[in-house]
Amino acid sequence: MKKLLIIAIMALSFCLPFVGNLQAMAEIYSSVRVVYPYAYVYEAANAGEESAILIKTCNYNEVLTTIGTEVVVGGVDNLEYYQVQITDVPGYESGYVLKSQVVGADVQSPKKELNINATINQECDIYILNGTDYEKTGEKLASGTKIRWLKNVDNYSQIQYTDAQQNIITAYVLINVVGFSGISRATIGAVIIIITTVSLVLIIFGISGKKKKKKNI
C-alpha cells in the first residue's frame, strides 16, 4: 500500500508541470479585444519601465491577432502580456499588450444592462491601469452617473460604466467619488463592530456574574 502511495505521489509531481503548461496555453486566444478605454502595445514586455517603447495605442473594442501559444511574463513587475501582430506601424511586425486589458475576441461583453450598485457623487476623471500606473484617459464621468463598483485597489475603485454607444467599459476612478446605494460599507462595518463589542461585553459580564454567584455559594 505504501509503495502504491509513493508511486502515485511521484506520478502526480511529474505531471504537474505539464498541467501548468496546459493552463497557460488555454489562456491564449487567436485574437483578443480591448476592454479598457484604450490599451498600449509595447515593443517589449516591459510596461512601466523607462526603457519601454510604445508602438501604438488601441481603442476600446479594437481586435488584435495574437502570436505564440504562451502568455509572456516580463518587466520588473513580472506582468503578463500577449504578443500580438502589428500591421499598421512601419518597422514593426509584432508587439506586446497587457493581458489585463484584453479578453478573447469571441468573449461577448454585456451590453444590454449594467448591474448598477453605486453612483458617481461628483464629476471625476476616468483612469486606466497601465502596468502599475494609473493614467487619466482625458474623459470624465458626470456627477450622478450610475456605475457598477467592482473593487478597490490602492486609492482607486475599479468600476464599469456605460458609454454613449451603450458599451460597458471597465476603468478606474478615485475612491472618494463613489457613493453606494442603501447602506454604505462604512455603515455596515460600524454596525458589525458595535454588535461584536456588545456581544463581548455581555459575555464578559455573564462570566463575571457566574463567578460571583459561585463565591456566594
Side-chain angles (χ1 to χ4, degrees), residues 2 17 22 38 42 49-51 54 58 61-62 66 87 96 148 154-155 157 169 174 189 197 203:
K2 288 183 178 179
L22 288 173
Y38 60 81
Y42 295 92
E49 296 182 8
E50 291 185 6
S51 60
L54 174 64
C58 300
N61 259 346
E62 188 169 340
T66 58
T87 58
Y96 296 85
R148 176 163 181 75
D154 302 321
N155 294 318
S157 289
I169 297 178
L174 291 173
T197 303
I203 291 170

Side-chain angles (χ1 to χ4, degrees), residues 93-119:
E93 295 182 355
S94 68
Y96 296 85
V97 63
L98 283 162
K99 178 186 170 186
S100 60
Q101 296 179 349
V102 297
V103 297
D106 294 332
V107 177
Q108 297 298 314
S109 296
K111 290 187 177 181
K112 297 298 182 182
E113 184 179 352
L114 182 65
N115 187 7
I116 293 167
N117 61 3
T119 306

Side-chain angles (χ1 to χ4, degrees), residues 209 211-217:
K211 287 183 177 179
K212 287 179 180 178
K213 287 181 180 178
K214 285 182 179 180
K215 287 181 180 179
N216 292 334
I217 293 170

Side-chain angles (χ1 to χ4, degrees), residues 70-192:
E70 294 183 359
V71 173
V72 179
V73 178
V76 293
D77 298 309
N78 290 321
L79 299 173
E80 294 182 321
Y81 302 79
Y82 288 127
Q83 186 178 14
V84 295
Q85 290 182 5
I86 301 296
T87 58
D88 55 349
V89 180
Y92 290 98
E93 295 182 355
S94 68
Y96 296 85
V97 63
L98 283 162
K99 178 186 170 186
S100 60
Q101 296 179 349
V102 297
V103 297
D106 294 332
V107 177
Q108 297 298 314
S109 296
K111 290 187 177 181
K112 297 298 182 182
E113 184 179 352
L114 182 65
N115 187 7
I116 293 167
N117 61 3
T119 306
I120 297 297
N121 56 33
Q122 64 186 66
E123 185 181 67
C124 65
D125 292 304
I126 299 171
Y127 294 80
I128 184 173
L129 180 59
N130 180 35
T132 56
D133 297 323
Y134 294 89
E135 299 179 353
K136 291 182 181 180
T137 64
E139 299 181 5
K140 295 180 181 290
L141 287 178
S143 176
T145 301
K146 303 296 183 182
I147 62 169
R148 176 163 181 75
W149 174 87
L150 300 176
K151 62 181 179 180
N152 287 339
V153 184
D154 302 321
N155 294 318
Y156 300 84
S157 289
Q158 186 183 42
I159 65 162
Q160 290 180 324
Y161 67 94
T162 306
D163 68 4
Q165 289 72 44
Q166 297 304 302
N167 294 311
I168 292 180
I169 297 178
T170 302
Y172 293 85
V173 295
L174 291 173
I175 287 177
N176 64 334
V177 303
V178 178
F180 295 95
S181 304
I183 301 175
S184 68
R185 284 176 171 74
T187 303
I188 293 173
V191 170
I192 292 172

Side-chain angles (χ1 to χ4, degrees), residues 29-40:
Y29 303 94
S30 59
S31 58
V32 292
R33 179 168 51 82
V34 177
V35 290
Y36 274 31
Y38 60 81
Y40 293 141

